[in-house]
Amino acid sequence: MKLTVPHMGLLSVAYTEILRKHGVDMMPPPRPSVNTLNLGTRNSPEFACLPFKINLGNMIESLDNGADTILMPGGSGPCRFGYYGVVQEQILKSLGYEFNMTLTDNPDSLSGMVGTIRDISDIKDKKHAFTVFYLILIKMAALDKAQSMYHWYKPREINRNESDKAYSGAVRTIGKATTYRELYRSWKEVKKIFRDVKADMKHKPLKVGVLGEIFVVIEPFANMMFEKKLLDMGVEIVRGVWLSDWLNDRFRFKPFRKNQNKLAKKWAYPYLKYASGGESIESVGKTVKFSREGIDGVIHIMPFTCMPELVAATIMNRISTDMNYPVLSLTFDENVSEVNLQTRIEAFVDLLERRKKCWKVS
Amino acid sequence: MLEGFLGIDVGSVTTKLALIDKNDDVIWSTYRKTKGQPIRVLQSALRDLSRALNPVILGLGTTGSGRRLASYLAGADIVKNEITAHAVASIETVPEVRTIMEIGGQDSKLIIIRDGVVIDFSMNTVCAAGTGSFLEHQASRLGLSVEELGGYAISSTKPTRIAGRCTVFAESDMVHKQQMGHEIEDIVSGLCDALCRNYLSNLARGKELRDPVIFQGGVAANEGIKSSFERELNKEIIIPEHFNIMGAIGAAMLARELSPKETRFRGFSIAHQQLTTSSFYCNDCHNSCGIIEIRDGENIIARWGDSCSKWSAEFEKVSN
């Protein structure tokens, strides 16, 4: 069995080595590229969203490389996503591929995930599978933490591109860990790597909050590396959406980190009183929170045809007017022009800068 | 010796240059078609400037969709996006401005300003309906020059209703209306109305347009569009004196604001160099960035487009 899982940000770094160690023949797809998107777009329904297309492209690439089993989260997902695995299976079958599709029917439930690990690996003991699953979760949290450190260091770095190197080094170091002890050691090393980056601690860069649909936020290819563009302009990114937070809301592996979804619900009141799918409640709630926390503005990103985030975008427009707080909504799909995106981001950053200078706000 | 700050706005359809003095007065300006050859046009414009005035350039700002090309070519002190450049120029011209509408060759923008600071903006995303290129195309199809369109539009008293959601549909609707026997003045006027509706529903949705409203960009030359906007918004619309070169003026003002001790402008000699561009895809990682090079004969003078600065590191970057 050669197992493949479509990419979603750094998630593949978290599980690949660990599952390999436990006898799973992992075959990660190539990182999403123009080729992935072309394959995905050609074989997808036109109004499926960008995550669907990139996932499908990834699956086709892996199957072409010799994978025979696909693992895909499914079930009663947060939006249309729950149904994607089933549709993708149909599309791939009609393209003539032969493979097994393992859908995790209930990615929200612990027993479901532990069961999946027992199905695919040589671990038969329930308790052992449970510890392996938690290791993956904690590794994901470490990766997210490293990324947020990168977001902090990049605008403050003194030698150009030093923090980029530190970040890719950190991801590599964490990626190698396969046991709790190794993970602990690698984390110590990561802290050292970042401590060695020369940074101007007194510098106060502009802070921009990034919110939106989780796949587009965490997968750099899907958002045309827009975070890198922002960081290169010397802006600090405060991200409101993390994969580890999403996982933590479900599996509670970080006991001191509060349930972000519940908090967001509190902040979102009275603009949005119930979850309307996707990350909409987080987007609305955290916009309100960011506006109070002295973050200069919010960029809200979503894939084209994303219903939940479209709801959020409309509400955020209202918050923006009510609180006199800058919000920029960006939509991504395969037809977005990079020049247009660059112009918008630059103009938004200029807007924040001038606003800060002339009005002395926040 | 004449001294001044130069602003270059390389747009999709036209290239604009403006030279301003220290008091922000425009000394010299030019407005010419890019014709898909930004380098050639920029060189000839610089040649004309050096021949006409031969000024000392104290600072150079570039803007427009070709701002990076222009900055690498001429050596800019500041590179700014067109939204900021337009806002800066308009605020300087009409200090109390609160709404700026800009329609250029291929994009249209709406900028909302309060107390002299941009607070919101929007820009057309997927469709170029209602921009200069489309108007020009329709004018030539009707056998008119684009300058004549405005006159035709305001002479109409009973505009025909044209579908303006999409340029292709607008065109077929216009053909249909022509064949039904509507007068050309009415069709042109209806077209202006349609473009104006399209602009407002695409860009101004949910935004509050307050007085005073400035309308600029190449399309502002068209009287018909102006009067359509006035009718639709029920507001007076101001068209500044230099409406078609506002971006270039803004870029020059930003350069003046910066007032660099020593400009990075390469001098007018670049107008006589043999410049060529080429591009290739770097396949060293999965990003496959498109890398662009400018050569002067055999020498590479600039290279950009990579996200890892592997190719561009040796060529000093201009800060944003």
Side-chain angles (χ1 to χ4, degrees):
Chain A
M1 180 184 79
K2 275 190 184 303
L3 181 79
T4 187
V5 192
H7 275 296
M8 182 171 182
L10 292 171
L11 184 59
S12 65
V13 183
Y15 59 71
T16 306
E17 288 305 317
I18 298 177
L19 290 181
R20 249 186 209 149
K21 197 186 159 208
H22 292 287
V24 187
D25 192 357
M26 287 300 292
M27 182 147 180
R31 293 243 37 120
S33 64
V34 180
N35 185 37
T36 318
L37 188 57
N38 287 344
L39 282 172
T41 312
R42 204 177 304 145
N43 299 305
S44 304
E46 195 195 343
F47 283 109
C49 66
L50 192 60
F52 182 95
K53 291 170 185 169
I54 293 178
N55 280 174
L56 186 68
N58 257 178
M59 289 174 183
I60 295 176
E61 281 176 313
S62 301
L63 292 174
D64 286 343
N65 287 347
D68 58 12
T69 308
I70 300 172
L71 179 68
M72 178 78 187
S76 57
C79 58
R80 297 193 289 185
F81 183 79
Y83 198 55
Y84 279 3
V86 185
V87 179
Q88 283 157 339
E89 189 179 1
Q90 293 288 326
I91 293 175
L92 292 171
K93 289 251 156 87
S94 67
L95 287 173
Y97 288 105
E98 283 180 17
F99 60 95
N100 294 318
M101 189 92 158
T102 310
L103 287 169
T104 57
D105 283 337
N106 208 345
D108 290 10
S109 92
L110 185 58
S111 59
M113 291 311 294
V114 169
T116 307
I117 289 183
R118 284 167 74 201
D119 287 344
I120 58 172
S121 70
D122 55 11
I123 307 169
K124 291 295 159 253
D125 180 29
K126 228 182 202 173
K127 232 182 199 169
H128 190 192
F130 177 82
T131 49
V132 167
F133 179 57
Y134 266 68
L135 178 59
I136 297 176
L137 293 180
I138 291 169
K139 204 166 152 185
M140 190 63 233
L143 287 165
D144 277 355
K145 182 82 184 132
Q147 195 170 11
S148 76
M149 281 160 87
Y150 166 61
H151 287 163
W152 192 90
Y153 272 101
K154 176 73 183 166
R156 293 176 174 84
E157 71 183 0
I158 290 168
N159 303 326
R160 200 167 153 239
N161 288 343
E162 200 178 355
S163 45
D164 296 76
K165 277 177 205 136
Y167 171 56
S168 51
V171 172
R172 228 176 301 126
T173 314
I174 300 173
K176 278 186 223 143
T178 54
T179 60
Y180 282 93
R181 176 168 297 176
E182 279 172 27
L183 184 59
Y184 178 68
R185 284 203 189 125
S186 72
W187 181 247
K188 269 181 145 174
E189 204 175 312
V190 168
K191 279 207 273 192
K192 197 178 154 296
I193 292 176
F194 273 107
R195 218 178 296 131
D196 289 347
V197 175
K198 279 199 189 66
D200 179 2
M201 297 293 178
K202 282 187 192 129
H203 179 55
K204 284 206 172 66
L206 274 182
K207 286 185 188 175
V208 173
V210 173
L211 295 169
E213 196 277 332
I214 190 160
F215 186 91
V216 196
V217 174
I218 68 175
E219 177 54 57
F221 175 74
N223 58 39
M224 304 181 97
M225 316 240 291
F226 107 104
E227 287 195 338
K228 174 96 170 86
K229 290 187 171 78
L230 270 178
L231 291 168
D232 280 342
M233 288 175 208
V235 174
E236 183 184 342
I237 291 181
V238 183
R239 225 203 238 168
V241 191
W242 293 103
L243 190 54
S244 56
D245 278 346
W246 190 89
L247 294 166
N248 187 42
D249 289 352
R250 271 125 194 113
F251 304 113
R252 307 296 312 150
F253 61 95
K254 290 198 282 186
F256 300 111
R257 177 96 175 151
K258 282 193 178 143
N259 187 320
Q260 296 293 303
N261 192 286
K262 279 188 188 155
L263 281 180
K265 214 169 188 170
K266 211 164 76 191
W267 295 321
Y269 193 87
Y271 288 102
L272 185 58
K273 293 171 190 152
Y274 45 84
S276 57
E279 275 72 48
S280 55
I281 195 118
E282 266 101 339
S283 297
V284 173
K286 290 194 172 168
T287 307
V288 176
K289 185 192 166 226
F290 283 170
S291 70
R292 290 182 190 142
E293 272 184 354
I295 287 165
D296 298 293
V298 162
I299 297 187
H300 176 234
I301 65 180
M302 57 179 154
F304 188 55
T305 73
C306 178
M307 201 60 185
E309 293 304 318
L310 202 57
V311 171
T314 318
I315 300 172
M316 284 161 80
N317 212 341
R318 175 75 185 280
I319 301 175
S320 167
T321 325
D322 282 4
M323 305 199 169
N324 189 13
Y325 186 62
V327 175
L328 177 70
S329 270
L330 298 171
T331 322
F332 288 90
D333 70 351
E334 68 275 13
N335 296 321
V336 167
S337 116
E338 192 156 5
V339 182
N340 202 308
L341 175 71
Q342 180 83 29
T343 305
R344 271 158 213 269
I345 299 176
E346 276 180 26
F348 189 67
V349 170
D350 276 346
L351 180 162
L352 298 181
E353 236 161 39
R354 295 223 159 213
R355 204 171 166 267
K356 202 170 177 180
K357 204 169 77 189
C358 301
W359 287 358
K360 309 250 179 322
V361 283
S362 67
Chain B
M1 197 68 165
L2 189 65
E3 290 182 336
F5 296 90
L6 183 63
I8 300 177
D9 179 356
V10 181
S12 49
V13 178
T14 53
T15 298
K16 286 80 78 178
L17 267 72
L19 183 72
I20 60 166
D21 60 16
K22 282 176 186 163
N23 305 320
D24 288 343
D25 294 325
V26 180
I27 313 171
W28 181 88
S29 69
T30 180
Y31 176 88
R32 46 187 80 188
K33 291 254 158 24
T34 309
K35 289 179 191 149
Q37 298 179 318
I39 298 183
R40 204 72 60 75
V41 172
L42 191 54
Q43 283 184 309
S44 83
L46 285 173
R47 214 155 35 224
D48 290 351
L49 173 59
S50 82
R51 231 176 262 153
L53 299 168
N54 198 19
V56 175
I57 304 295
L58 299 174
L60 171 66
T62 61
T63 185
S65 47
R67 58 185 177 277
R68 291 188 82 186
L69 178 79
S71 96
Y72 285 114
L73 203 72
D77 298 299
I78 186 162
V79 184
K80 272 285 171 208
N81 59 81
E82 48 275 37
I83 294 174
T84 311
H86 276 287
V88 166
S90 308
I91 293 169
E92 202 72 33
T93 325
V94 183
E96 63 277 11
V97 61
R98 291 204 278 190
T99 307
I100 303 170
M101 303 195 291
E102 198 267 345
I103 307 185
Q106 283 190 348
D107 55 13
S108 37
K109 301 170 204 83
L110 174 69
I111 309 171
I112 309 284
I113 292 175
R114 295 288 179 267
D115 305 331
V117 175
V118 180
I119 62 151
D120 200 1
F121 62 86
S122 54
M123 199 174 153
N124 61 338
T125 38
V126 284
C127 179
T131 55
S133 318
F134 174 65
L135 274 182
E136 198 162 8
H137 176 64
Q138 291 315 325
S140 76
R141 218 178 52 78
L142 294 169
L144 307 169
S145 76
V146 72
E147 290 81 17
E148 284 173 324
L149 269 189
Y152 270 85
I154 45 173
S155 66
S156 156
T157 48
K158 40 183 194 321
T160 312
R161 193 165 174 91
I162 306 272
R165 176 62 67 207
C166 157
T167 50
V168 179
F169 292 156
E171 179 165 342
S172 48
D173 203 26
M174 276 170 69
V175 173
H176 174 67
K177 295 282 154 67
Q178 260 178 300
Q179 284 163 347
M180 274 173 51
H182 286 271
E183 282 159 72
I184 204 159
E185 287 87 354
D186 296 343
I187 294 180
V188 171
S189 171
L191 179 68
C192 293
D193 281 350
L195 297 190
C196 155
R197 270 200 313 274
N198 179 298
Y199 176 92
L200 292 176
S201 63
N202 265 337
L203 298 176
R205 210 173 358 170
K207 297 197 176 11
E208 199 187 350
L209 309 185
R210 289 202 201 155
D211 279 330
V213 183
I214 284 193
F215 180 29
Q216 59 195 39
V219 174
N222 189 322
E223 280 288 314
I225 302 261
K226 184 196 169 203
S227 66
S228 290
F229 270 124
E230 280 179 337
R231 237 174 300 137
E232 196 82 28
L233 294 173
N234 204 11
K235 285 185 186 356
E236 195 204 340
I237 285 174
I238 305 164
I239 295 188
E241 187 192 348
H242 300 289
F243 62 92
N244 55 0
I245 51 161
M246 288 299 260
I249 296 177
M253 283 174 178
L254 285 163
R256 196 255 311 140
E257 217 170 82
L258 190 75
S259 286
K261 279 195 190 111
E262 202 175 323
T263 177
R264 294 192 215 188
F265 181 54
R266 285 186 213 267
F268 288 106
S269 62
I270 52 157
H272 303 287
Q273 285 173 345
Q274 283 296 325
L275 299 174
T276 48
T277 54
S278 58
S279 65
F280 63 92
Y281 283 93
C282 162
N283 282 322
D284 293 355
C285 79
H286 59 88
N287 287 336
S288 16
C289 309
I291 319 287
I292 299 150
E293 284 179 344
I294 304 185
R295 286 165 195 269
D296 169 22
E298 282 298 295
N299 299 336
I300 301 168
I301 56 170
R303 208 193 251 152
W304 74 90
D306 49 351
S307 51
C308 66
S309 75
K310 177 170 138 190
W311 298 94
S312 57
E314 47 188 303
F315 306 99
E316 196 189 15
K317 269 201 174 173
V318 183
S319 66
N320 259 310

